[in-house]
Amino acid sequence: MGRSHRPRPARLGEKLWQIRVSFELTLEQMIERLDYKDSPIYPTNISAMERGEREPPLTLLLAYARVAGTSTDMLIDDSVDLPIVHLATSVRNGMRKRSRKH
């Protein structure tokens, strides 16, 4: 019996990358922010997931969703854009404006 392949979200890697970049995190900082205890994560793992070469375990996907303040279905659904990109940008812009005043 052959092994069937399940459909993979085409935009998942892009969305994982968007989360990291929107918070201006390095690969190492993203690993810290994820606080994933199930198994070790390395920068090469994150990079491969962002390029769509690897698919994260479900529990890691949940950790990404929590960091982004969204649900896992927002990450998985290719027809939906992440709101976090806009939120992180507006938060950063607000922080820059406040820091200029002081």
Side-chain angles (χ1 to χ4, degrees), residues 2-38:
R3 194 171 172 192
S4 65
H5 296 280
R6 62 182 171 84
R8 296 176 71 165
R11 295 183 55 208
L12 178 59
E14 169 193 338
K15 290 179 180 183
L16 299 180
W17 176 82
Q18 285 177 343
I19 292 168
R20 183 174 64 82
V21 170
S22 71
F23 286 102
E24 298 180 347
L25 299 173
T26 64
L27 294 168
E28 292 81 6
Q29 291 168 329
M30 188 70 210
I31 292 167
E32 288 177 27
R33 180 73 66 92
L34 289 168
D35 193 31
Y36 187 69
K37 307 282 190 224
D38 290 353

Side-chain angles (χ1 to χ4, degrees), residues 40-77:
I41 305 173
Y42 303 100
T44 53
N45 301 125
I46 300 293
S47 183
M49 287 184 278
E50 289 177 356
R51 289 190 311 269
E53 295 171 1
R54 293 186 66 178
E55 197 169 294
L58 293 176
T59 51
L60 183 57
L61 195 60
L62 179 60
Y64 263 96
R66 287 179 175 159
V67 165
T70 191
S71 62
T72 54
D73 58 323
M74 293 290 285
L75 298 177
I76 296 167
D77 190 343

